[in-house]
Amino acid sequence: MYNSVEIYRIWRRFTMLETILGTKSPCQIGMIVKDIEESKQKVAQLYGLAVPPTVGGGDFAITKTQYKGKPAPDANCKMAFFDFDNIQLELIEPNQFDSTWRDHLVQVGEGMHHLGFIVDAILKRMEMMKEAGYELTQFGYYGDGNGAYAYYDCTKDVKCYVELLCSF
């Protein structure tokens, strides 16, 4: 349970993130899971939704995934996306190689990993996140090459990662 001082501090950091991100509306909640097939069945049943397809993270030749500033050709995952009226739920099952997703599964277990925000000019927003003191843990392009994502470790301030999402 958080006390009022901690709640205020978290609220102030989210307010600062709004300025950096250019939005205060997350578009996505990312959840790390051990078994995507089992998890998506349970989510679909709980919310009365259709079971979405499972998709891969894409080939490194397109994604050019970087983990902690270094190429991560083996980092990958399986994903499933549930679209609600106002937000998307992303389930992510990481593979066995180092990634921000794998770190979360090993260190924290299953559960909420990130809030995703659609941003304009991702490189500008990434520079602003860096200036604000947030660590870039993973960067890559979408599996189809039509956009990019960047994960920042904001766990100290807002208790989750923040993902920047930008379509080209």
Side-chain angles (χ1 to χ4, degrees):
M1 191 63 132
Y2 298 114
N3 65 39
S4 60
V5 173
E6 290 170 324
I7 291 170
Y8 177 75
R9 186 177 60 78
I10 292 169
W11 175 82
R12 290 290 299 151
R13 293 304 282 189
F14 266 118
T15 302
M16 186 189 82
L17 281 172
E18 177 185 351
T19 302
I20 294 170
L21 301 174
T23 180
K24 62 181 175 183
S25 299
C27 65
Q28 184 183 78
I29 299 170
M31 306 288 287
I32 300 297
V33 300
K34 290 180 185 175
D35 182 333
I36 198 152
E37 297 304 322
E38 178 183 334
S39 296
K40 70 181 188 177
Q41 293 292 330
K42 289 181 178 181
V43 169
Q45 182 178 12
L46 178 65
Y47 296 111
L49 300 170
V51 177
T54 298
V55 297
D59 295 324
F60 181 73
I62 296 171
T63 65
K64 298 180 180 23
T65 305
Q66 296 176 22
Y67 171 67
K68 295 187 176 179
K70 296 180 180 169
D74 297 320
N76 213 316
C77 66
K78 296 177 188 174
M79 298 173 285
F81 300 91
F82 290 90
D83 291 317
F84 291 82
D85 290 339
N86 60 347
I87 201 159
Q88 182 181 72
L89 176 62
E90 176 185 25
L91 302 181
I92 304 167
E93 178 189 325
N95 68 7
Q96 71 273 23
F97 297 99
D98 288 342
S99 68
T100 188
W101 313 302
R102 181 46 125 186
D103 287 351
H104 190 278
L105 186 58
V106 170
Q107 296 168 8
V108 179
E110 294 182 290
M112 184 176 165
H113 176 257
H114 70 267
L115 288 176
F117 294 84
I118 296 172
V119 299
D120 60 346
I122 193 167
L123 296 178
K124 171 186 163 188
R125 300 297 176 182
M126 289 173 67
E127 185 60 34
M128 293 172 77
M129 290 291 283
K130 180 180 178 181
E131 289 172 3
Y134 292 109
E135 176 190 4
L136 173 66
T137 59
Q138 189 165 311
F139 173 83
Y141 295 95
Y142 299 165
D144 62 7
N146 290 329
Y149 70 91
Y151 286 109
Y152 284 87
D153 185 349
C154 299
T155 56
K156 181 180 176 190
D157 293 328
V158 296
K159 310 307 179 203
C160 68
Y161 281 74
V162 168
E163 181 182 26
L164 310 184
L165 298 160
C166 184
S167 296
F168 305 138

